[in-house]
Amino acid sequence: MPEVPHRVLVTGPASWNLTVRVATLPEPRPHTVSADGWADGLGGTSAGKAVTLAALGVDVTLRTVLGEDDAAGRIRAALERPHLEVVAVPAAGRASERHVNLVADDGSRLSVYLTLPDAVPSGAARPVAELLRGADAAVVDLAEHSRPVLDAARAAGVPVWCDVHDDDGTGPYARAFTAAADVILASHVRLADPVAYLRARLAEGARLAVVTRGAAGALAVAVGDDGVPRWYDVGAAAVHAAVQAEGAGDAFAAGLLWATLAGAPVPEALALASATGAVAVAGPGLGAPDATPRTVRRLVERVVVTPR
């Protein structure tokens, strides 16, 4: 699979997070627990995708909301890396997004939003149409300030990728995103019937839809050039040790986009996505900042993609 320069617009959250590791998530009652460790660092689903895409050699423009506080400086510093440009929309109230995340040993997470800023109306440094010009894809993550990008990308003919996380298929917030997307990724955590969910996404017009299942891999369906949907079970890449699961889904999405832009067939792209997710869980940091094409391809041999 040859390396070809590509450019992607990613729009959505970048935050500064305090992550606290605990054995299990606390029960909903007054009590005290001890942390197994903690760290603060870069967060946000869009930041995770942007960092991973940049590591894979894709030129990325990250459009996000940043304030004028210390957190904004830390976020900008953490995003300073090759292939990655940050375009900040000013935050109303001047405070950047911040979370406290409790992460348990089994990978479950409880996020407490300390600040969730709105964008200043008409405060963008560069128009969305300009950011989309020449882009090979637009990754539009769940955020109010991302909504204008959905229609703009469709109007510009730029393929729309949406990661709708724990969408249950019925909640109203994600519907504008799934309806506009060419490619959809979702987590299995709130889905009683992943197959029905994926069929519904095809009915909305998606050409590729994926439900990630953590350590169990993923389930995917893609519409071929002949209009026939083809289903795939995607195995998880085996790693020697899982350091953490933060950003594994973002890394999977970024790996899938990178491989798709490079022209990989769907089964190979899904395998490369799984391998990119494995790089994320095997190392520290948000997403997969060490996911070079070489490291991903080494892991892809451990991924089994089975047609259904």
Side-chain angles (χ1 to χ4, degrees), residues 41-65:
L42 182 66
T45 185
S46 301
K49 293 181 181 71
V51 164
T52 305
L53 285 165
L56 291 167
V58 178
D59 291 328
V60 183
T61 299
L62 173 60
R63 177 184 179 272
T64 191
V65 173

Side-chain angles (χ1 to χ4, degrees), residues 16 71-81:
W16 194 254
R74 293 172 183 172
I75 293 167
R76 287 182 182 276
L79 290 170
E80 286 183 1
R81 57 192 68 220

Side-chain angles (χ1 to χ4, degrees), residues 129-160:
E130 178 184 331
L131 298 177
L132 286 166
R133 195 171 299 127
D136 297 290
V139 179
V140 186
D141 281 325
L142 298 176
E144 282 302 307
H145 73 267
S146 292
R147 286 181 180 271
V149 182
L150 293 171
D151 290 339
R154 300 292 290 183
V158 176
V160 174

